[in-house]
Amino acid sequence: MTAPSGPSRGRHAALVAAAALAVTALLWGSNHVAARSLHNALPLPSLIFWRWLLALGLLTPIALPGLIREWPQVRPRLPRLFALGISGIGLFSVFLYAGAYYSLALEVGLLTSTTPIWVVLMATLAGAPMVGRRQQIGIALALVGVLIIVLKGSLASLAGMELRIGNLWSLLAAIVFAWYTMLLGAKPLGLSALTATAMTAWTGMISIIAPVYALFLLSGATDPVLTGAQSHQTTLVVLYIAIGPTLLGNLLWIYGASRLGAARSGPFLYLSPVAALVLSVTLLGEPLAPFQVVGAVAILCGLAISNSGAKAPPPPPGA
């Protein structure tokens, strides 16, 4: 059988890239659900630490040859790479998993999907040209959806302080990643995706994730992974998070987005909150309340409206 050529080869490559992006979105949508399933089995600092340590153990040998070749280009970019790693890997990981541990997985998936909205707001505050009427409507609609979910569909929740703390962590995750996106988009890094991912991941691990884990142990807390007390199921879920959403998800995104470009790749990210919603209801048995459906529809419609015809921001590394 001969390989496809010309336009046929281009269509085949586009289909493969689209499939890779669809799988990525599903993996990242399942990330919230997998983390939520561990909230009673594994302490939060333990999950964050072991997830990234396992992923880095697999990623580093793959990225190391390119990193060595590109080191002359990496060295002058170290301050920026450090800032990207602290925000996009370190702080984002802590806030994302804190949201998953202290809120419903379907709500975490929806709230963290609002990152493009915060990017637009930050860009406007930073002096970028004002967005158009369509983007303003989309932003307003998505923010209404966020408020519906955070307030659980009732203003009485605000008066009674019945907010889920996990929802606030999830919003912080979205806002932190929006800042990361602004920093990343300031000017091209000029590095390969594997090199940039490895550098930012190690920075986030060393600056935020490892210190948080060390403080957790110094406080006298016990990590079931160190004592061998974790269940076989817990081990499998941690391995899935490290290999699936963290490592495989990032590599598939690199593959697909590098071939289709940001504008065509961005819409695939909207599959993530949908996947999180479906999986959280079917696998975790989380209740689907009417206010969650209304909030989800508002967020997804707002995202679609505000991003129509615009370039989507890159996804969070290891989201």
PDB file of all heavy atoms in Angstrom, residues 182-201:
ATOM      1  N   MET A 182      -0.865  35.110  29.445  1.00  0.00           N
ATOM      2  CA  MET A 182      -0.418  36.451  29.092  1.00  0.00           C
ATOM      3  C   MET A 182       1.108  36.508  29.030  1.00  0.00           C
ATOM      4  O   MET A 182       1.691  37.081  28.106  1.00  0.00           O
ATOM      5  CB  MET A 182      -0.933  37.450  30.128  1.00  0.00           C
ATOM      6  CG  MET A 182      -2.433  37.625  30.134  1.00  0.00           C
ATOM      7  SD  MET A 182      -2.999  38.671  28.773  1.00  0.00           S
ATOM      8  CE  MET A 182      -2.301  40.241  29.268  1.00  0.00           C
ATOM      9  N   LEU A 183       1.762  35.897  30.017  1.00  0.00           N
ATOM     10  CA  LEU A 183       3.218  35.891  30.057  1.00  0.00           C
ATOM     11  C   LEU A 183       3.792  35.096  28.891  1.00  0.00           C
ATOM     12  O   LEU A 183       4.768  35.503  28.252  1.00  0.00           O
ATOM     13  CB  LEU A 183       3.690  35.292  31.384  1.00  0.00           C
ATOM     14  CG  LEU A 183       5.208  35.253  31.634  1.00  0.00           C
ATOM     15  CD1 LEU A 183       5.790  36.659  31.626  1.00  0.00           C
ATOM     16  CD2 LEU A 183       5.495  34.564  32.963  1.00  0.00           C
ATOM     17  N   LEU A 184       3.167  33.975  28.590  1.00  0.00           N
ATOM     18  CA  LEU A 184       3.643  33.134  27.494  1.00  0.00           C
ATOM     19  C   LEU A 184       3.477  33.827  26.152  1.00  0.00           C
ATOM     20  O   LEU A 184       4.308  33.699  25.257  1.00  0.00           O
ATOM     21  CB  LEU A 184       2.881  31.808  27.499  1.00  0.00           C
ATOM     22  CG  LEU A 184       3.310  30.751  26.480  1.00  0.00           C
ATOM     23  CD1 LEU A 184       4.744  30.317  26.728  1.00  0.00           C
ATOM     24  CD2 LEU A 184       2.376  29.550  26.532  1.00  0.00           C
ATOM     25  N   GLY A 185       2.384  34.573  26.008  1.00  0.00           N
ATOM     26  CA  GLY A 185       2.091  35.213  24.731  1.00  0.00           C
ATOM     27  C   GLY A 185       2.758  36.552  24.526  1.00  0.00           C
ATOM     28  O   GLY A 185       2.577  37.179  23.486  1.00  0.00           O
ATOM     29  N   ALA A 186       3.549  37.009  25.515  1.00  0.00           N
ATOM     30  CA  ALA A 186       4.196  38.313  25.386  1.00  0.00           C
ATOM     31  C   ALA A 186       5.104  38.370  24.159  1.00  0.00           C
ATOM     32  O   ALA A 186       5.124  39.346  23.429  1.00  0.00           O
ATOM     33  CB  ALA A 186       4.985  38.630  26.654  1.00  0.00           C
ATOM     34  N   LYS A 187       5.853  37.298  23.933  1.00  0.00           N
ATOM     35  CA  LYS A 187       6.679  37.151  22.737  1.00  0.00           C
ATOM     36  C   LYS A 187       7.055  35.682  22.607  1.00  0.00           C
ATOM     37  O   LYS A 187       7.063  34.952  23.603  1.00  0.00           O
ATOM     38  CB  LYS A 187       7.928  38.031  22.800  1.00  0.00           C
ATOM     39  CG  LYS A 187       8.866  37.723  23.951  1.00  0.00           C
ATOM     40  CD  LYS A 187      10.070  38.642  23.906  1.00  0.00           C
ATOM     41  CE  LYS A 187      11.019  38.349  25.083  1.00  0.00           C
ATOM     42  NZ  LYS A 187      12.200  39.220  25.051  1.00  0.00           N
ATOM     43  N   PRO A 188       7.369  35.224  21.411  1.00  0.00           N
ATOM     44  CA  PRO A 188       7.683  33.809  21.220  1.00  0.00           C
ATOM     45  C   PRO A 188       8.874  33.374  22.073  1.00  0.00           C
ATOM     46  O   PRO A 188       9.849  34.116  22.230  1.00  0.00           O
ATOM     47  CB  PRO A 188       8.004  33.714  19.728  1.00  0.00           C
ATOM     48  CG  PRO A 188       7.318  34.888  19.114  1.00  0.00           C
ATOM     49  CD  PRO A 188       7.366  35.970  20.146  1.00  0.00           C
ATOM     50  N   LEU A 189       8.794  32.157  22.621  1.00  0.00           N
ATOM     51  CA  LEU A 189       9.892  31.638  23.418  1.00  0.00           C
ATOM     52  C   LEU A 189      11.086  31.247  22.554  1.00  0.00           C
ATOM     53  O   LEU A 189      12.232  31.319  22.989  1.00  0.00           O
ATOM     54  CB  LEU A 189       9.435  30.406  24.216  1.00  0.00           C
ATOM     55  CG  LEU A 189       8.856  30.644  25.609  1.00  0.00           C
ATOM     56  CD1 LEU A 189       8.347  29.340  26.190  1.00  0.00           C
ATOM     57  CD2 LEU A 189       9.890  31.265  26.536  1.00  0.00           C
ATOM     58  N   GLY A 190      10.819  30.783  21.342  1.00  0.00           N
ATOM     59  CA  GLY A 190      11.899  30.368  20.473  1.00  0.00           C
ATOM     60  C   GLY A 190      12.513  29.047  20.875  1.00  0.00           C
ATOM     61  O   GLY A 190      13.679  28.772  20.566  1.00  0.00           O
ATOM     62  N   LEU A 191      11.758  28.203  21.602  1.00  0.00           N
ATOM     63  CA  LEU A 191      12.224  26.892  22.039  1.00  0.00           C
ATOM     64  C   LEU A 191      11.239  25.833  21.569  1.00  0.00           C
ATOM     65  O   LEU A 191      10.064  26.117  21.336  1.00  0.00           O
ATOM     66  CB  LEU A 191      12.332  26.833  23.566  1.00  0.00           C
ATOM     67  CG  LEU A 191      13.260  27.846  24.245  1.00  0.00           C
ATOM     68  CD1 LEU A 191      13.092  27.765  25.748  1.00  0.00           C
ATOM     69  CD2 LEU A 191      14.708  27.600  23.852  1.00  0.00           C
ATOM     70  N   SER A 192      11.719  24.599  21.459  1.00  0.00           N
ATOM     71  CA  SER A 192      10.812  23.513  21.125  1.00  0.00           C
ATOM     72  C   SER A 192       9.836  23.294  22.275  1.00  0.00           C
ATOM     73  O   SER A 192      10.115  23.637  23.433  1.00  0.00           O
ATOM     74  CB  SER A 192      11.598  22.224  20.865  1.00  0.00           C
ATOM     75  OG  SER A 192      12.186  21.751  22.067  1.00  0.00           O
ATOM     76  N   ALA A 193       8.676  22.727  21.949  1.00  0.00           N
ATOM     77  CA  ALA A 193       7.650  22.509  22.972  1.00  0.00           C
ATOM     78  C   ALA A 193       8.129  21.558  24.063  1.00  0.00           C
ATOM     79  O   ALA A 193       7.834  21.760  25.250  1.00  0.00           O
ATOM     80  CB  ALA A 193       6.382  21.963  22.306  1.00  0.00           C
ATOM     81  N   LEU A 194       8.876  20.520  23.693  1.00  0.00           N
ATOM     82  CA  LEU A 194       9.367  19.573  24.693  1.00  0.00           C
ATOM     83  C   LEU A 194      10.343  20.244  25.658  1.00  0.00           C
ATOM     84  O   LEU A 194      10.269  20.034  26.880  1.00  0.00           O
ATOM     85  CB  LEU A 194      10.051  18.386  24.000  1.00  0.00           C
ATOM     86  CG  LEU A 194       9.147  17.219  23.578  1.00  0.00           C
ATOM     87  CD1 LEU A 194       9.960  16.172  22.845  1.00  0.00           C
ATOM     88  CD2 LEU A 194       8.449  16.608  24.783  1.00  0.00           C
ATOM     89  N   THR A 195      11.243  21.056  25.128  1.00  0.00           N
ATOM     90  CA  THR A 195      12.211  21.749  25.984  1.00  0.00           C
ATOM     91  C   THR A 195      11.492  22.717  26.923  1.00  0.00           C
ATOM     92  O   THR A 195      11.782  22.762  28.127  1.00  0.00           O
ATOM     93  CB  THR A 195      13.232  22.509  25.125  1.00  0.00           C
ATOM     94  OG1 THR A 195      14.021  21.562  24.407  1.00  0.00           O
ATOM     95  CG2 THR A 195      14.148  23.372  25.982  1.00  0.00           C
ATOM     96  N   ALA A 196      10.570  23.499  26.383  1.00  0.00           N
ATOM     97  CA  ALA A 196       9.836  24.457  27.220  1.00  0.00           C
ATOM     98  C   ALA A 196       9.024  23.740  28.285  1.00  0.00           C
ATOM     99  O   ALA A 196       8.974  24.177  29.444  1.00  0.00           O
ATOM    100  CB  ALA A 196       8.926  25.306  26.345  1.00  0.00           C
ATOM    101  N   THR A 197       8.388  22.633  27.924  1.00  0.00           N
ATOM    102  CA  THR A 197       7.582  21.883  28.885  1.00  0.00           C
ATOM    103  C   THR A 197       8.449  21.309  29.999  1.00  0.00           C
ATOM    104  O   THR A 197       8.099  21.394  31.183  1.00  0.00           O
ATOM    105  CB  THR A 197       6.824  20.743  28.179  1.00  0.00           C
ATOM    106  OG1 THR A 197       5.970  21.294  27.183  1.00  0.00           O
ATOM    107  CG2 THR A 197       5.981  19.958  29.174  1.00  0.00           C
ATOM    108  N   ALA A 198       9.587  20.709  29.640  1.00  0.00           N
ATOM    109  CA  ALA A 198      10.465  20.126  30.653  1.00  0.00           C
ATOM    110  C   ALA A 198      11.005  21.199  31.601  1.00  0.00           C
ATOM    111  O   ALA A 198      11.025  21.008  32.827  1.00  0.00           O
ATOM    112  CB  ALA A 198      11.622  19.389  29.981  1.00  0.00           C
ATOM    113  N   MET A 199      11.423  22.341  31.059  1.00  0.00           N
ATOM    114  CA  MET A 199      11.982  23.400  31.893  1.00  0.00           C
ATOM    115  C   MET A 199      10.934  23.985  32.833  1.00  0.00           C
ATOM    116  O   MET A 199      11.194  24.188  34.025  1.00  0.00           O
ATOM    117  CB  MET A 199      12.568  24.504  31.012  1.00  0.00           C
ATOM    118  CG  MET A 199      13.898  24.154  30.363  1.00  0.00           C
ATOM    119  SD  MET A 199      15.212  23.849  31.555  1.00  0.00           S
ATOM    120  CE  MET A 199      15.254  25.408  32.451  1.00  0.00           C
ATOM    121  N   THR A 200       9.749  24.266  32.311  1.00  0.00           N
ATOM    122  CA  THR A 200       8.710  24.844  33.167  1.00  0.00           C
ATOM    123  C   THR A 200       8.220  23.827  34.195  1.00  0.00           C
ATOM    124  O   THR A 200       7.914  24.186  35.340  1.00  0.00           O
ATOM    125  CB  THR A 200       7.532  25.350  32.324  1.00  0.00           C
ATOM    126  OG1 THR A 200       7.056  24.298  31.471  1.00  0.00           O
ATOM    127  CG2 THR A 200       7.942  26.530  31.461  1.00  0.00           C
ATOM    128  N   ALA A 201       8.165  22.560  33.808  1.00  0.00           N
ATOM    129  CA  ALA A 201       7.708  21.533  34.743  1.00  0.00           C
ATOM    130  C   ALA A 201       8.678  21.368  35.902  1.00  0.00           C
ATOM    131  O   ALA A 201       8.273  21.298  37.073  1.00  0.00           O
ATOM    132  CB  ALA A 201       7.519  20.207  34.012  1.00  0.00           C
TER     133      ALA A 201
END
